Amino acid sequence: RGILVALADDLMRLEEGELVPYRLADGSPVKASWINALLVRDDEIWIGAENGIFAIHDGVMVDWSRQGNLPVSRYVYLVQADDGGVWAVQPAGLVRIKDGHATLLTHEHGIHEDHVYAMVPDDYGDFWLDTNRGIVRISQDELNAVADGTERRVNPSVFEGVHAVKTADKLALEYSGARTSDGRVWFP
């Protein structure tokens, strides 16, 4: 309950106007190496950090990088999918965590670019990805089919090039994207 704030390696909660450490069921504070992203849904808190992806449920923190057999990597963006799964963005591709299973999708699965900066769902069942090779739109259904093993590859729509979409080095930028209330998707 309340407002959560990520301050470098610490997850904090605003209580009575003060920032206090968020505590797990055993009383220990949440620690992760430089928290990049937070996703709060139902009774879970998801954390994307420099050292992995974590979920807190009932006061217990699970390291999905280890449990999900995923690369211990920098996770920069988290998105809740229409079907309840969680998608995470990291330099080696996209990760879906659903029903206790984690799946890594890469360019070998048709993702245009493994290094994705941000991922935003639209109102039509697609994800929009901001990459250093342009903006990419991919159907959530196609991504789920590949993650489920019923299809081999996705068929993304790619918007790239000098005359199409601004593509620039993003090393000095915060990774971000948003969907406004009128349904438009924005990337800086």
Side-chain angles (χ1 to χ4, degrees):
R1 294 184 179 210
I3 296 174
L4 296 178
V5 178
L7 293 176
D9 297 349
D10 300 311
L11 182 62
M12 309 292 280
R13 179 181 13 228
L14 186 63
E15 284 184 8
E16 299 178 14
E18 304 263 336
L19 284 176
V20 297
Y22 185 95
R23 303 251 175 221
L24 298 172
D26 65 4
S28 64
V30 172
K31 288 287 195 183
S33 178
W34 198 266
I35 298 171
N36 296 310
L38 289 174
L39 173 66
V40 179
R41 60 179 214 157
D42 301 327
D43 56 350
E44 293 179 312
I45 301 169
W46 288 82
I47 299 171
E50 292 293 313
N51 63 331
I53 183 170
F54 307 90
I56 300 171
H57 181 77
D58 290 334
V60 176
M61 189 159 129
V62 174
D63 181 348
W64 273 96
S65 302
R66 297 189 203 308
Q67 181 173 324
N69 216 14
L70 299 170
V72 176
S73 180
R74 178 181 196 213
Y75 289 81
V76 297
Y77 218 84
L78 300 170
V79 176
Q80 181 170 334
D82 291 344
D83 66 358
V86 172
W87 285 90
V89 169
Q90 52 111 323
L94 304 177
V95 172
R96 184 190 72 171
I97 300 173
K98 183 178 174 194
D99 299 330
H101 300 284
T103 306
L104 174 65
L105 301 183
T106 68
H107 66 277
E108 294 174 359
H109 302 100
I111 308 295
H112 180 65
E113 169 69 34
D114 287 341
H115 196 138
V116 176
Y117 300 112
M119 182 176 190
V120 178
D122 67 16
D123 292 333
Y124 305 100
D126 296 323
F127 282 131
W128 290 81
L129 313 178
D130 183 15
T131 77
N132 66 347
R133 292 181 51 207
I135 303 296
V136 178
R137 182 181 67 213
I138 304 177
S139 160
Q140 286 188 48
D141 289 341
E142 285 185 26
L143 282 168
N144 284 321
V146 174
D148 291 339
T150 59
E151 295 290 337
R152 293 176 24 116
R153 296 176 62 83
V154 295
N155 297 298
S157 298
V158 179
F159 306 90
E160 66 181 336
V162 177
H163 301 293
V165 175
K166 178 187 96 174
T167 55
D169 183 12
K170 305 228 179 185
L171 294 177
L173 300 175
E174 289 293 325
Y175 302 162
S176 61
R179 182 181 68 209
T180 55
S181 60
D182 64 2
R184 288 188 279 178
V185 173
W186 294 82
F187 295 111

